[in-house]
Amino acid sequence: MRIAIFGTGKIFFRYWKYIDKEQVVYLIDNDGKKAGTAIDGIEIILPSQLKAADVDVILVLSKFYDEMKQQLVELGIPEDMILNYLQMGNVIDMPVWIYSNGRKLMFSNWLEDNKKRAVLISHELSYSGAPIALMNMAKVMKKMGISVLYVGMYDGPLQKELEINHIDYVPGWIFVKDDIQKEYIGQFDLAVICTFRMKRLIENYKSLKTPIIWWIHEAECVYQETEILNCGKNVSVFCGGEHARRTFLAHCKEKDAQMLQYCLPEENLLADGSEMAVGERVTFGLIGAISVRKAQDILLKAILKLPLEYQEKIELLIIGTALETEKEYWERLKPLIKQMKHVRVEGEVSQEELAAKYKEIDVLVCPSRDDPMPVVVAQAMMYGKVCILSENVGQVEFVKSGENGFVFGDERELSEQIKWIVKHKDRLNEIGRRARAIYEQNFSEEIMEERLERLWWEKCK
């Protein structure tokens, strides 16, 4: 097979290692500066230089698939030659292996052993919010007596967590042919597909009889101006909060969407809501991927606005790494961090390591510019920690500022709230107890089990 690949950015480098280089005839990119250069000895050309007769298939490795496909069609490339990166299995065709308690099983063998079955599909196996939320759903389903298979589009560090929790999983679903995917998914009682960016799987599975829960958590940035969705009657949309639901409906007006909050099982995180004494300095935690959307700069600037006497009474713990596309933003943050009096910066950590970090934190700050329902906020509430949230964070629907947390609109207001906390650190346990109640009433495992019991009865009866 002669393959051309359109797009040599972030998504390209994620998948390049899996592709047989001997089959690749051309790499294509719209960036004129790349034209004439090469990657691993394969030439990069402009789209206008491509001739359909030279290749059998064009694989678009970019999130801008729709626009790039249209560009190719306008250049005379037949539509049936153009594949999205979620269809890579039609080019690579790897076998499906299920990892189960140290064993490597064929799909058919796994199905034979399990009667009441649910498959949960994640866009990635990372330590980010949506994959963790889906993993926690898997834990609850297992307690309900359901045989759960967790499927990741490609491999990642979350595999370790799945093994620890004895959750069967498949890494590399993206490398499975479309027709084989549908054959397997059709043998489950229920499928949960997590995140909006998986809309092409939704379209691929719309003819199946298997009921599908499309579980959406995303912010504004993932949507195009107007989304045209080709969902089947077997698909029901559920959103992980009112913020996510409102954003989805603003772009997908012809679809309905219900609510389904994620949960955080506390037994594995050793959370009991117990109170801890605040030290000489109040420790503020900032947890999440380093990115413009997560808005670490807003908190740093708010702290630097404080008089030095307050800065001396604050310690800041930053946990997270910069995404490849956010390196420039990270470089802009470094001078601000250097001005801080007491600051520690740590990289991405596992869930077990993060549990230990929460013991060091007195107050979690989530200053995001757009964040529908971040897991770290619910985790902090579970630990009885005070949370300061920007008005663009989903959990603000549960927070009454000054009673069970704080909500701010700008840097000045955030600075004042930090100052108040430093002055009144003896009040943090009291506010933290009320934050813990938000977790118990909305994000606990018991609440999720009640919701899933109803869903299972409605969809799988």
Side-chain angles (χ1 to χ4, degrees):
M1 180 179 291
R2 298 171 300 167
I3 304 169
I5 295 176
F6 192 3
T8 59
K10 178 184 175 183
I11 291 178
F12 168 84
F13 285 105
R14 177 182 294 165
Y15 298 117
W16 182 234
K17 63 182 178 180
Y18 300 106
I19 296 171
D20 182 355
K21 312 298 188 292
E22 292 185 3
Q23 291 185 314
V24 180
V25 180
Y26 293 116
L27 302 177
I28 311 167
D29 204 286
N30 281 314
D31 186 348
K33 294 179 181 178
K34 294 182 179 180
T37 63
I39 297 175
D40 291 340
I42 301 170
E43 183 184 5
I44 300 177
I45 65 172
L46 295 171
S48 58
Q49 297 174 278
L50 178 66
K51 296 178 181 178
D54 291 343
V55 299
D56 300 309
V57 65
I58 300 170
L59 187 60
V60 179
L61 298 187
S62 170
K63 65 180 180 180
F64 301 108
Y65 169 76
D66 293 327
E67 297 91 331
M68 293 164 77
K69 177 181 178 180
Q70 183 60 35
Q71 182 182 0
L72 292 171
V73 170
E74 290 173 358
L75 290 170
I77 305 297
E79 281 194 49
D80 59 4
M81 287 180 58
I82 307 168
L83 298 181
N84 181 268
Y85 67 93
L86 291 177
Q87 299 170 297
M88 288 183 69
N90 298 320
V91 176
I92 296 177
D93 189 23
M94 288 185 179
V96 180
W97 291 106
I98 294 175
Y99 294 84
S100 174
N101 294 318
R103 298 178 298 162
K104 193 175 177 182
L105 303 176
M106 295 290 290
F107 209 100
S108 56
N109 293 339
W110 187 90
L111 290 171
E112 287 177 3
D113 294 338
N114 297 287
K115 305 300 181 184
K116 192 177 179 183
R117 302 187 286 255
V119 58
L120 279 53
I121 308 178
S122 175
H123 70 290
E124 60 186 19
L125 296 179
S126 71
Y127 284 127
S128 57
I132 291 171
L134 196 65
M135 180 180 69
N136 290 335
M137 177 185 282
K139 294 177 187 177
V140 175
M141 284 187 171
K142 283 192 67 177
K143 288 189 176 182
M144 293 166 60
I146 301 168
S147 298
V148 179
L149 183 64
Y150 193 112
V151 170
M153 296 309 288
Y154 47 92
D155 55 13
L158 196 69
Q159 291 173 213
K160 178 182 177 183
E161 304 286 341
L162 295 172
E163 290 168 359
I164 290 170
N165 289 283
H166 305 289
I167 297 172
D168 297 346
Y169 68 94
V170 175
W173 190 246
I174 200 168
F175 306 120
V176 181
K177 283 185 175 180
D178 284 355
D179 56 351
I180 296 177
Q181 286 188 20
K182 288 190 280 189
E183 177 189 342
Y184 289 154
I185 299 301
Q187 298 181 67
F188 284 86
D189 299 298
L190 179 69
V192 181
I193 299 179
C194 192
T195 75
F196 184 78
R197 67 191 71 188
M198 300 286 276
K199 63 180 180 178
R200 298 205 175 276
L201 281 194
I202 294 293
E203 293 174 0
N204 287 346
Y205 302 161
K206 66 183 178 183
S207 61
L208 298 177
K209 291 183 180 179
T210 301
I212 294 174
I213 299 298
W214 192 10
W215 200 22
I216 292 171
H217 306 266
E218 278 100 328
E220 179 78 27
C221 60
V222 307
Y223 293 90
Q224 298 179 18
E225 194 167 320
T226 301
E227 294 284 357
I228 300 173
L229 303 176
N230 298 313
C231 298
K233 293 180 180 179
N234 63 330
V235 177
S236 302
V237 177
F238 285 80
C239 296
E242 181 55 36
H243 185 118
R245 180 176 180 272
R246 193 166 53 245
T247 304
F248 172 81
L249 293 176
H251 293 274
C252 309
K253 298 180 175 63
E254 295 181 2
K255 293 295 295 181
D256 188 22
Q258 301 175 63
M259 298 282 285
L260 179 62
Q261 300 282 13
Y262 58 76
C263 76
L264 294 173
E266 60 182 340
E267 69 274 13
N268 292 329
L269 291 174
L270 306 177
D272 57 8
S274 59
E275 298 174 359
M276 296 181 66
V278 180
E280 181 181 347
R281 296 190 183 93
V282 180
T283 300
F284 290 80
L286 185 57
I287 305 172
I290 308 295
S291 67
V292 173
R293 184 172 70 87
K294 293 293 186 179
Q296 288 86 359
D297 60 300
I298 291 176
L299 175 58
L300 294 173
K301 291 174 183 176
I303 292 175
L304 291 172
K305 285 181 185 293
L306 294 170
L308 289 178
E309 62 184 279
Y310 284 95
Q311 292 187 44
E312 287 288 355
K313 297 176 181 178
I314 290 170
E315 182 172 9
L316 179 60
L317 174 59
I318 301 174
I319 299 174
T321 56
L323 302 171
E324 191 63 36
T325 54
E326 302 282 356
K327 296 297 186 184
E328 183 179 336
Y329 175 70
W330 174 231
E331 291 302 318
R332 295 203 306 270
L333 292 184
K334 287 180 179 178
L336 297 176
I337 292 171
K338 286 182 179 179
Q339 296 178 55
M340 302 289 295
K341 292 293 181 182
H342 308 282
V343 60
R344 287 180 289 148
V345 180
E346 302 186 8
E348 186 178 70
V349 299
S350 70
Q351 288 297 288
E352 183 179 358
E353 292 167 330
L354 186 57
K357 296 298 178 186
Y358 276 112
K359 294 181 181 179
E360 303 176 33
I361 293 170
D362 301 308
V363 180
L364 180 89
V365 185
C366 186
S368 299
R369 293 180 167 90
D370 187 9
D371 218 340
M373 198 67 69
V375 169
V376 294
V377 172
Q379 284 178 331
M381 291 174 170
M382 177 176 63
Y383 282 97
K385 302 298 180 181
V386 176
C387 295
I388 305 180
L389 313 177
S390 90
E391 59 190 11
N392 305 310
V393 172
Q395 280 94 339
V396 298
E397 64 182 272
F398 308 116
V399 174
K400 293 182 179 179
S401 201
E403 294 184 24
N404 56 4
F406 295 87
V407 179
F408 71 90
D410 56 28
E411 289 172 20
R412 181 200 59 77
E413 191 173 5
L414 176 56
S415 287
E416 290 301 315
Q417 290 172 351
I418 293 171
K419 189 186 295 185
W420 187 93
I421 285 171
V422 171
K423 284 182 178 179
H424 303 90
K425 63 181 183 180
D426 58 315
R427 298 276 304 278
L428 295 186
N429 281 327
E430 171 194 340
I431 298 171
R433 283 195 298 272
R434 298 187 188 124
R436 164 79 184 185
I438 295 175
Y439 159 75
E440 292 172 346
Q441 295 162 16
N442 298 278
F443 301 101
S444 68
E445 191 174 29
E446 292 75 20
I447 295 295
M448 172 61 94
E449 186 169 348
E450 290 176 12
R451 293 165 178 161
L452 290 179
E453 289 279 8
R454 289 196 298 269
L455 265 180
W456 191 270
W457 173 250
E458 291 172 8
K459 303 299 179 183
C460 308
K461 59 184 178 181

